[in-house]
């Protein structure tokens, strides 16, 4: 079963949706809610996950349940698409599907992550009003939301309520409490909880120790770090590499011995080097032969020595050493995975200068990393799309449209237009045109926005609900009330025509996914 789920994930990730549908229909699989939920839990690309979710709902004898809806809701929430998440929740309610504490907790978490704490508080109240009893996971998640937003009194009250209701705190509950206390300089109280929880029969786990040591390093709490390390040594627990490195640097800067942390993490001790030591020990590119540079980079990748790779690439660039495309692609992807934008860009610029065509995954990772890091002001984002298309890789309608719109929201209309102009004709769809309309509205150029819309209609591309939502929001903000009324009438006419048509294209679904109920800001 695991192999089949992995195969479906690969189909969704690497194939176009049209091709994916054909492959899915040929698979000898029984599509029940358990199987569909397992596929969704592999977290395929968001737009593919939604298309797959809708595809499954049309299968004979299939019905989505609370589990598939909640997983889809999580996928949208993680991507920051809160309005889409709430749309899935509304579908659940409208279909009469049971909404449990897991679903409410997920909604609370993602609204809070999106910065809307008041909505999270409202959902907590809604859950209790509906008679849905919170679990210890719900209580813990809500406490974390309140503590992270300095609503200490409310958070404390929730903890008391949880205990009174007979829910025993878990290791994660205690972690949330101690994390807050350490962050407020109350390490003694945190240590007291650390000891008391063990007396209550709850043993600190690896995750708790890593979180607390990381928090203590940033709060400058040496004593508590030592206490936790002693516990870890006695219980054979280890630190994650980034936490180990941060703790080593902190202890050294505080004038403390690093003997204990080395004893706890013997698997890292031999590799423990600071950035300066890495630089000193990095291999001089002048000693690297043409046949060995790829092997050295592979070795450094295996050791996760990304700083050394940066230094080596910088030295090798002047010698015009041609690297294997798969290796340079892996370097870009690994830097993106670690959110090292500069390292990823260094490798990308190297490939660009020497004409090395990297793999599609590397381009997608780089674009995604730049978007997540809010680096939309860099021209290299446009360069990455240009190189990607030149190499024969399609960014896909969803990514292209999202990027154009995000550039517009970041007040980079010139870059957005460049990306749109780079797109091949098959990607100049209703989604990308609607995104460009949004770009001009964001720039305050409503005339240009309407010009793009009219150009789209002349090419025979029909608008969607998302197109009209964005148009109307932009016109309202621009104070063009007469045109708002005009497009409202046009939308009514469009709505009656669209009801007569059975099929909705993939591009239209993508457009609605991105822009339905959107607003211009």
């Amino acid at each position: 079963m695991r192999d089949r789920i992995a195969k479906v994930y690969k189909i969704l990730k690497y194939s176009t949706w049209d091709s994916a549908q054909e492959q899915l229909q040929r698979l000898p699989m029984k599509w029940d809610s358990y199987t569909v939920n397992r596929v969704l839990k592999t977290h395929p690309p968001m737009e593919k996950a939604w298309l797959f979710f809708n595809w499954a709902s049309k299968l004979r004898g299939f019905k989505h349940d609370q589990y598939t809806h909640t997983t889809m809701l999580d996928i949208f929430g993680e991507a920051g698409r809160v309005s889409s998440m709430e749309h899935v929740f509304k579908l659940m309610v409208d279909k009469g599907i049971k909404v449990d504490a897991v679903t409410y907790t997920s909604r609370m978490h993602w609204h809070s992550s999106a910065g809307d704490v008041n909505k999270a508080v409202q959902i907590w109240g809604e859950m209790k009003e509906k008679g849905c009893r919170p679990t210890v996971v719900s209580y813990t998640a809500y406490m974390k939301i309140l503590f992270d937003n300095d609503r200490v009194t409310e958070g404390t009250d929730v903890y008391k309520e949880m205990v009174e209701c007979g829910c025993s705190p878990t290791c994660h509950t205690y972690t949330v409490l101690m994390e807050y206390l350490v962050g407020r300089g109350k390490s003694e109280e945190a240590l007291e909880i650390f000891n008391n929880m063990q007396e209550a029969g709850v043993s600190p786990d690896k995750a708790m120790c890593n979180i607390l040591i990381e928090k203590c390093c940033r709060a400058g709490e040496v004593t508590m770090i030592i206490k936790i390390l002693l516990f870890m040594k006695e219980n054979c627990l280890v630190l994650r590499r980034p936490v180990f490195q941060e703790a080593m640097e902190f202890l050294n800067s505080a004038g403390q011995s690093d003997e204990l942390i080395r004893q706890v993490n013997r698997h890292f001790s031999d590799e423990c080097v600071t950035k300066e030591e890495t630089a000193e020990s990095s291999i001089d590119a002048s000693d690297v032969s043409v046949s060995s540079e790829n092997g050295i980079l592979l070795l450094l990748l295996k050791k996760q020595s990304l700083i050394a790779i940066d230094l080596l690439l910088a030295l090798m660039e002047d010698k015009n050493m041609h690297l294997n495309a798969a290796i340079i692609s892996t370097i870009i992807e690994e830097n993106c995975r670690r959110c090292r934008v500069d390292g990823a860009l260094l490798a990308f610029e190297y490939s660009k200068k020497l004409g090395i065509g990297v793999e599609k995954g590397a381009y997608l990772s780089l674009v995604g990393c730049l978007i997540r890091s809010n680096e939309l002001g860099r021209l290299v984002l446009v360069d990455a799309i240009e190189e990607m298309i030149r190499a024969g890789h399609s960014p896909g309608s969803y990514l292209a449209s999202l990027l154009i719109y995000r550039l517009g929201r970041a007040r980079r209309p010139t870059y957005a237009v460049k990306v749109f102009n780079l797109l091949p004709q098959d990607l100049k769809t209703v989604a990308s045109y609607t995104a460009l309309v949004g770009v001009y509205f964001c720039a305050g150029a409503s005339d240009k926005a309407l010009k793009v819309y009219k150009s789209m209609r002349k090419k025979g591309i029909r608008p969607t609900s998302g197109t009209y939502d964005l148009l109307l929001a932009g016109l309202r903000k621009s104070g063009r009330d007469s045109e708002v009324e005009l497009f409202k009438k046009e939308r009514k006419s469009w709505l009656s025509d669209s009801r007569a048509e059975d099929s909705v294209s993939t591009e239209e679904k993508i457009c609605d996914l991105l822009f339905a109920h959107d607003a211009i800001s």
Side-chain angles (χ1 to χ4, degrees), residues 28 93 109 119 173 240 308 431:
V93 175
H109 171 73
K119 181 65 176 178
T173 310
R240 293 184 296 107

Side-chain angles (χ1 to χ4, degrees), residues 346-369:
L346 178 66
F348 171 69
E349 293 294 347
Y350 189 99
S351 69
K352 185 180 171 186
K353 179 180 177 181
L354 296 182
I356 303 170
V358 299
E359 296 169 359
K360 181 178 180 179
Y363 287 118
L364 293 174
S365 294
L366 180 59
V367 172
C369 184

